[in-house]
Amino acid sequence: MTLEGLDDLDRRILHALQADARGASSREIAERADVSPSTVRKRIDRLEREGIVTGYRAEVDFGRAGYQLQVQIACTAPIPEREELGHRALDVRGVVSVRELAAGEENLLVSVVAADNDDLTRIARKLSELGLAVSDEQLIRGESFTPYGGFDRPDGES
Amino acid sequence: MTDTDVDDIDRAILHALQEDARNISSDEIGERVGIAGSTVRKRIGRLESAGVIKGYSADVDYQRSGYPLRMLLFCTAAIPDRGELVPEILAIDGVVSVQELVTGEQNLLVTAVGESDSDITPIAQQLLEMGLTVADEVLVRSHESTPFGEFDPD
């Protein structure tokens, strides 16, 4: 599926799902878009099948859930292994996300949630056992998301 | 809600909602955890109002959607301003997330999405106008999330 394959209805659906993946029912999206709910359901199926929507996630405030130590660990992976090591880092308990950057140094940013300092040390050690060079750890104060504005525009406007 | 109020059942609910926020019903979560669906709905309502759950989002592959540029902008804000700036930054068209770091020279990491460079440049410009220093911009090749393991009851 390419850009040509995404039309206004697809973008409207993506926007609704980014804004509230759990609460926005197909029926409500359909009403707003003036199409039938079954059309919306079919479109969502297609967006999932084509890998445009890759999942639905609750955004959790880990601090409020009792985990005060949220840390971003900057790691360097050899470029040929970057992608694979990034996937393997995701399996380390405590890791909640991995960003792969197009850079030579500090090209994997690993976000972790730890119970305490010992737990953080365990996670950093696991990452380094995978073959990542851990260069920096920074406390995360918070992270905020918003739906992408590009999905909220009619076709042709920018 | 204090930390101690999040118990094993809450954690199991959070795990389910981190795995699939859209397609797992409260009744299904209830079956997994061994409690009534209505109890799950109440718990979710409480987790939402206490701010433990901030929202539910779809993960989108922007590249496949026709927006191949996802840039991470490393910015510096004066510490007292940092928190206040976040809503303003999120309101910039094209920005999809802001991460606040406690320490370090670059204390705001802004993620912006666009079709081409010409979509990203005005975003950097607006950040400058807000008084931020944009020290670096790096292309994000991928960003994958996974449910937090400590919420997993198994």
Side-chain angles (χ1 to χ4, degrees):
Chain A
M1 188 184 264
T2 61
L3 177 60
E4 289 74 48
L6 280 190
D7 63 13
D8 278 351
L9 180 57
D10 292 317
R11 277 191 286 270
R12 196 188 269 259
I13 290 170
L14 289 173
H15 190 261
L17 293 176
Q18 282 201 315
D20 187 354
R22 190 166 180 82
S25 69
S26 298
R27 194 170 42 79
E28 283 164 348
I29 300 172
E31 263 172 39
R32 273 182 268 156
D34 204 16
V35 295
S36 74
S38 68
T39 304
V40 171
R41 275 188 288 273
K42 270 183 222 151
R43 291 289 188 115
I44 293 176
D45 283 347
R46 193 177 61 129
L47 291 166
E48 290 174 355
R49 210 171 45 239
E50 301 284 345
I52 287 179
V53 173
T54 56
Y56 304 101
R57 182 172 41 80
E59 286 157 21
V60 173
D61 184 324
F62 291 103
R64 292 196 183 191
Y67 299 88
Q68 299 306 331
L69 213 49
Q70 296 165 67
V71 177
Q72 179 154 275
I73 304 181
C75 304
T76 302
I79 288 175
E81 296 169 49
R82 182 176 48 192
E83 195 175 336
E84 199 211 321
L85 290 177
H87 284 298
R88 290 172 64 188
L90 272 180
D91 291 333
V92 174
R93 194 172 177 94
V95 170
V96 293
S97 85
V98 175
R99 268 182 287 202
E100 207 190 319
L101 304 182
E105 299 285 316
E106 303 200 333
N107 50 22
L108 285 177
L109 295 184
V110 181
S111 289
V112 311
V113 179
D116 52 34
N117 274 315
D118 287 348
D119 196 30
L120 181 59
T121 307
R122 172 192 61 85
I123 296 168
R125 189 177 302 132
K126 287 269 180 203
L127 294 174
S128 114
E129 280 167 12
L130 289 178
L132 294 171
V134 176
S135 53
D136 195 18
E137 290 179 354
Q138 300 213 328
L139 267 177
I140 299 171
R141 187 158 173 259
E143 191 163 13
S144 316
F145 302 89
T146 189
Y148 178 47
F151 296 140
D152 197 23
R153 283 191 290 262
D155 218 0
E157 280 180 35
S158 61
Chain B
M1 182 182 268
T2 62
D3 302 349
T4 47
D5 285 332
V6 175
D7 62 13
D8 283 348
I9 291 174
D10 293 322
R11 278 188 283 272
I13 292 170
L14 290 172
H15 182 71
L17 293 175
Q18 283 209 308
E19 275 190 324
D20 187 343
R22 186 168 178 83
N23 299 305
I24 306 182
S25 69
S26 295
D27 289 340
E28 282 167 314
I29 299 173
E31 267 171 45
R32 281 200 209 176
V33 184
I35 56 173
S38 59
T39 309
V40 173
R41 275 184 286 277
K42 269 185 224 152
R43 293 269 188 149
I44 292 176
R46 195 174 57 111
L47 291 166
E48 287 172 354
S49 54
V52 175
I53 296 174
K54 295 187 287 182
Y56 305 98
S57 184
D59 288 324
V60 172
D61 185 325
Y62 289 105
Q63 183 142 19
R64 289 191 188 202
S65 311
Y67 302 94
L69 275 192
R70 178 163 40 172
M71 304 298 292
L72 185 61
L73 292 88
F74 292 81
C75 305
T76 308
I79 301 265
D81 297 343
R82 186 180 46 186
E84 294 164 30
L85 286 172
V86 171
E88 221 179 310
I89 297 170
L90 285 172
I92 299 176
D93 196 20
V95 170
V96 294
S97 78
V98 179
Q99 200 175 19
E100 285 175 78
L101 302 178
V102 175
T103 50
E105 192 150 348
Q106 279 94 51
N107 52 20
L108 283 176
L109 305 190
V110 177
T111 306
V113 171
E115 256 186 276
S116 67
D117 265 342
S118 60
D119 292 328
I120 305 295
T121 311
I123 296 172
Q125 187 58 40
Q126 286 182 69
L127 293 171
L128 287 175
E129 283 164 12
M130 285 178 167
L132 296 176
T133 311
V134 183
D136 201 5
E137 18 171 272
V138 183
L139 181 73
V140 180
R141 294 189 69 238
S142 70
H143 188 174
E144 290 190 63
S145 302
T146 189
F148 178 44
E150 296 296 320
F151 293 152
D152 189 351
D154 301 322

